[in-house]
Amino acid sequence: KERYNIYSCTKLITCTAALMLLEKDMIRLDDAVHEYLPEFKHMKKMTDGTIENVKNTMTLRHLFTMTAGLTYNVDSENIKRGIAETGGLMPTREAMKYIACDPLSFEPGSSWLYSLCHDVLGAVIEVASGRRFGEFVKENIFDPAGMKRSTFLLPEEELPEISAQYRYDSKSGQYDLCSPETQICKFGSAYESGG
């Protein structure tokens, strides 16, 4: 049986998991992100090439709605540093310490940008539930739904089971076959991307 990546469809699963915690009153939409992930307390933003302090507190609502000011800059120097410093593991919760170092692109709540918001929400789920993100989803969503082969971290020995994937190269106008390991938002072997 072939396996396949569902990429951003994981966002629905992440939000469902977070809503389960909301129903149990373990999190609230207007909670500050830094209540769960302290590294998000003193955020900066980039405005016209200048770094400034943000005025608005980033909340869980901002993470749900992609209005936190985060980006999809997966090649940032801070993320590369995190990969190096964690020996290529980059566990989800640990990764937040590096993601939070990058300046936001706007004040939280003032605009919208498709971004790493749901990855950060996955880390909030870890902290609020006291379980690894993937374990929480497996126990509360995948197992009850009978999704026995779904996971956020496919073991290395099962990577060959991933179906062929292609990426369009706009320069050549061709579709290139990617290796099964190709995932631009998987920062490390222990990183469970909520988005």
Side-chain angles (χ1 to χ4, degrees), residues 15-29:
C15 287
T16 300
L19 290 171
M20 291 175 154
L21 295 176
L22 184 76
E23 284 183 331
K24 294 177 181 175
D25 203 31
M26 295 172 73
I27 63 171
R28 293 184 182 86
L29 288 176

Side-chain angles (χ1 to χ4, degrees), residues 162-179:
I162 296 178
S163 64
Q165 300 175 86
Y166 297 86
R167 179 170 288 150
Y168 181 71
D169 182 336
S170 60
K171 291 180 184 174
S172 70
Q174 301 291 316
Y175 287 91
D176 298 325
L177 182 63
C178 302
S179 74

Side-chain angles (χ1 to χ4, degrees), residues 7 17 20 26 38 50 72 81 84 94 97 101 107 138 143 161:
Y7 297 101
M20 291 175 154
M26 295 172 73
T50 305
Y72 252 132
R81 181 172 55 88
E94 185 80 9
K97 296 172 184 173
C101 291
E107 282 288 334
K138 181 181 183 319
D143 286 351
E161 295 179 20

Side-chain angles (χ1 to χ4, degrees), residues 12-119:
L12 301 171
I13 297 165
T14 301
C15 287
T16 300
L19 290 171
M20 291 175 154
L21 295 176
L22 184 76
E23 284 183 331
K24 294 177 181 175
D25 203 31
M26 295 172 73
I27 63 171
R28 293 184 182 86
L29 288 176
D30 294 316
D31 286 349
V33 173
H34 67 76
E35 292 176 35
Y36 303 91
L37 309 170
E39 54 270 38
F40 284 89
K41 185 162 187 167
H42 301 291
M43 295 302 294
K44 309 276 187 199
K45 68 177 177 176
M46 178 73 73
T47 306
D48 299 324
T50 305
I51 303 284
E52 304 173 343
N53 292 325
V54 296
K55 298 176 183 129
N56 298 342
T57 300
M58 184 189 296
T59 66
L60 301 190
R61 183 183 304 271
H62 295 140
L63 296 180
F64 271 99
T65 59
M66 297 273 177
T67 59
L70 296 165
T71 69
Y72 252 132
N73 182 6
V74 297
D75 289 324
S76 83
E77 290 305 314
N78 289 309
I79 290 174
K80 289 177 185 175
R81 181 172 55 88
I83 293 167
E85 290 180 2
T86 63
L89 294 175
M90 199 74 151
T92 305
R93 173 64 190 90
E94 185 80 9
M96 297 305 118
K97 296 172 184 173
Y98 301 97
I99 291 171
C101 291
D102 287 331
L104 301 177
S105 57
F106 52 81
E107 282 288 334
S110 68
S111 190
W112 180 91
L113 184 64
Y114 199 68
S115 66
L116 291 168
C117 281
H118 292 165
D119 287 59

